[in-house]
Amino acid sequence: MMSHIEKPATPEEIATCYPVMAELRPHLTQEAFVEQVVDQMTTQHYHLIVVMEDGVPVAVAGYRLGRNLSWGHFIYVDDLVTAEAHRSGGYGGMLLDWLVDEGRRQGCAELHLDSGVQRFAAHRFYLTKCMDITAHHFGMKL
């Protein structure tokens, strides 16, 4: 088995990531997912990466580069998910390590992500990857 990271760019390549991303974002249809990713790539500097194992997507991450007053130049991870059948196989770590390296390559000072309060296994994973819980995120539906 040989795993590697790819950056899907075409709508067809993006669509192959949908079954994995749907585990994290089940409210999206494949069509809506592809449309939104393409839009975010165009308007928000969003990037998608995928771990391929023997030609099959097993883990996916979406991220953006940005700047703000509190963090300076940063990389923000919007989405990070490993297909349930492939969890604990090192794929999430492979993605996060790649994202840390990409942030450094891009001159970012920090990497950030939000994780739902109910995602305890994800929180354990982030803590083992030397991440700190630095804030509470608040939201409101409008």
Side-chain angles (χ1 to χ4, degrees), residues 75-130:
I75 183 169
Y76 184 86
V77 182
D78 291 83
D79 317 286
L80 179 63
V81 60
T82 299
E84 188 172 0
H86 297 280
R87 290 191 184 140
S88 299
Y91 302 114
M94 187 176 175
L95 285 175
L96 195 55
D97 291 346
W98 188 96
L99 289 161
V100 167
D101 290 343
E102 177 67 1
R104 289 180 177 139
R105 282 189 294 272
Q106 298 297 327
C108 295
E110 300 188 20
L111 178 143
H112 286 268
L113 59 81
D114 286 324
S115 181
V117 295
Q118 77 286 1
R119 298 189 68 225
F120 301 114
H123 302 164
R124 283 190 300 274
F125 167 70
Y126 298 137
L127 291 169
T128 65
K129 296 300 276 181
C130 299

